[in-house]
Amino acid sequence: MEGNLRQIILWLAAVAVIVAVILGVRLAILRSAELAGSPLNPTLATSAPFGNPPKQWGVFANAFQINDLDDPFSPAKIDATIVVLKDLGVNAVLLPYEALPTGEPNDAVNDVMVDKFSKAGLSIVMLCCDGFEFGETNRYQAAYEFAQRLGQKYGNQIHYFQFLNEISGTAIKPGHSGFTFDDYEPEKYVKIRELLRGLTDGLASASPRAHRILSAHWLGIGIIDQLINDRVSFEIVAWHWFSDMGPDPVAIPLATERGVPAEFDGQIFNLPAHFTKQGKRFWVTETNLTNGSLNGLERQQADYLRHMLEVVKATDNISGFFYYRLTDGAENAGKSAWGLYETSKTADGSTLNYDHPKEAYQVYKDFLKIEHQARPVPFDLQPTNR
């Protein structure tokens, strides 16, 4: 009896050893796969873990899209904007989170804006925190609570949140391109990093499936790379690219006169590939001819948009595109010529209306009609990168 018991014990011990070995090998494989896509080993990551999600097409707008500077908020004007967006054919809209002059959230505007755009079937990408103050002490906690409130309030309606705007310009040394982290002020960077860490962590605490977006422009990859190395959590890199920066962000000729170190001189740099190798999705969220249609360049504005649309369509690792912007804006609020649509004064001169689309509008509309026929995939079916 004792002999049989001893044999059973030995057999169970042997089974336990085999199971432990199998589990150890399995964990080692999983750990290797994790490290291959980790920001700590970006050279090993050859593709993003989410594959090639469907392209997403949108435009920058806001709650005061056709307001003069002193016009009161009008929900009816959001309705007019939605009519234009539906005609254009976009399935997403990039919207700034509105603040009061005191720096507090303008809930009266934001609630209506979010409700109307989401009920219209447009997926919202919320650009937040510009104009908000978080103080010099306890920045992480203040930012955490701010973003947590955002997630609690809008997490069921909004799944994409961009924190800050053009991080690449926040801590850069004067006269530098931002291509390497040496181009940034370390003390300023730490403040930005802790602010972003609070914002991204706070949103995740309340809305764990939300996609967190950080943006930059031109050659400012150095600060984004460092944020990835410092394990700030986010899913999407959004880039701003205008015609004076080069033809497009996929094939950028690097040169020392553009502010890059000598060892990169003469290379062709691919921004989307650089970040997808680090496990991030890549969007273009602002683009235009540098001055839009200013000085009679409406045809050139349309031609540049056509070029960018074809580049994005042909580039698998660009999964989102948002044109800047929907309208030229108000005469007394720094009117630009970047819009797809001209605005004009109403007959009584009291406010603005949508007047007529520019050539670029028709280019985008025609493109989207063909694109949606080819790939009619809803915006929010994209997987999270977690």
Side-chain angles (χ1 to χ4, degrees):
M1 183 67 177
E2 289 182 2
N4 290 338
L5 183 60
R6 187 178 295 109
Q7 286 181 340
I8 292 171
I9 292 171
L10 290 173
W11 180 81
L12 289 173
V15 169
V17 170
I18 293 170
V19 170
V21 170
I22 293 171
L23 288 174
V25 171
R26 175 61 176 161
L27 287 171
I29 293 171
L30 289 172
R31 181 59 179 156
S32 296
E34 178 186 351
L35 287 174
S38 167
L40 298 179
N41 288 289
T43 57
L44 298 178
T46 56
S47 62
F50 33 77
N52 294 323
K55 302 289 187 186
Q56 310 305 330
W57 310 99
V59 66
F60 179 95
N62 61 63
F64 299 91
Q65 192 64 57
I66 49 174
N67 281 45
D68 266 343
L69 189 60
D70 299 320
D71 284 353
F73 172 63
S74 169
K77 291 190 174 185
I78 292 184
D79 295 334
T81 296
I82 289 170
V83 170
V84 172
L85 294 178
K86 288 291 191 178
D87 178 72
L88 179 58
V90 294
N91 56 5
V93 59
L94 179 60
L95 298 171
Y97 186 58
E98 299 293 342
L100 293 167
T102 59
E104 296 297 314
N106 191 339
D107 287 342
V109 171
N110 292 320
D111 290 354
V112 174
M113 176 179 70
V114 170
D115 184 65
K116 282 185 172 291
F117 281 108
S118 60
K119 283 182 177 177
L122 292 160
S123 288
I124 297 168
V125 181
M126 183 65 83
L127 167 59
C128 39
C129 308
D130 277 11
F132 292 89
E133 296 293 334
F134 296 94
E136 291 299 317
T137 59
N138 299 320
R139 289 168 66 86
Y140 174 89
Q141 189 62 33
Y144 185 101
E145 292 172 2
F146 177 93
Q148 185 179 57
R149 179 181 183 272
L150 269 181
Q152 291 168 343
K153 191 171 180 59
Y154 300 119
N156 291 329
Q157 295 167 290
I158 304 176
H159 306 298
Y160 297 84
F161 293 83
Q162 177 183 318
F163 291 119
L164 306 186
N165 189 50
E166 294 188 353
I167 296 165
S168 46
T170 56
I172 198 166
K173 297 174 183 176
H176 289 68
S177 70
F179 192 71
T180 68
F181 187 59
D182 289 339
D183 290 344
Y184 292 88
E185 298 281 359
E187 290 184 3
K188 290 182 180 179
Y189 167 75
V190 169
K191 292 181 179 180
I192 295 296
R193 183 192 65 198
E194 292 312 296
L195 176 62
L196 289 169
R197 201 188 298 278
L199 291 168
T200 55
D201 289 353
L203 179 66
S205 73
S207 185
R209 291 189 59 79
H211 302 248
R212 298 159 297 183
I213 305 168
L214 303 185
S215 73
H217 72 302
W218 194 41
L219 298 177
I221 69 169
I223 193 168
I224 304 295
D225 285 346
Q226 190 62 40
L227 289 167
I228 293 172
N229 289 337
D230 286 346
R231 310 305 291 268
V232 174
S233 299
F234 65 101
E235 288 70 51
I236 299 171
V237 174
W239 218 261
H240 299 174
W241 191 267
F242 289 76
S243 62
D244 62 335
M245 300 175 183
D248 56 68
V250 175
I252 306 169
L254 300 180
T256 52
E257 57 264 31
R258 302 192 83 187
V260 302
E263 61 263 33
F264 298 102
D265 189 50
Q267 294 185 20
I268 302 298
F269 189 73
N270 186 321
L271 270 170
H274 176 79
F275 289 111
T276 54
K277 285 178 180 178
Q278 299 183 70
K280 305 300 179 185
R281 285 158 55 193
F282 186 90
W283 288 4
V284 174
T285 52
E286 284 191 20
T287 189
N288 209 316
L289 196 69
T290 298
N291 294 310
S293 61
L294 190 67
N295 297 324
L297 297 182
E298 187 171 332
R299 175 62 55 83
Q300 290 88 336
Q301 180 193 32
D303 288 344
Y304 187 72
L305 172 57
R306 183 181 292 107
H307 165 72
M308 284 295 295
L309 290 170
E310 293 301 330
V311 167
V312 173
K313 181 178 179 179
T315 306
D316 286 341
N317 51 13
I318 301 179
S319 55
F321 177 88
F322 292 76
Y323 192 71
Y324 185 83
R325 45 181 272 157
L326 181 58
T327 67
D328 284 348
E331 293 285 356
N332 65 347
K335 181 175 180 177
S336 72
W338 286 320
L340 295 169
Y341 221 103
E342 285 275 11
T343 56
S344 64
K345 285 281 190 179
T346 53
D348 62 4
S350 62
T351 187
L352 295 177
N353 272 336
Y354 285 98
D355 192 312
H356 66 275
K358 296 196 281 189
E359 289 185 44
Y361 181 96
Q362 195 62 46
V363 166
Y364 202 6
K365 180 177 178 177
D366 291 345
F367 175 88
L368 289 173
K369 184 176 181 180
I370 296 171
E371 183 66 16
H372 292 330
Q373 288 173 349
R375 298 188 70 178
V377 180
F379 186 86
D380 281 326
L381 291 187
Q382 296 184 69
T384 55
N385 182 17
R386 298 221 243 289

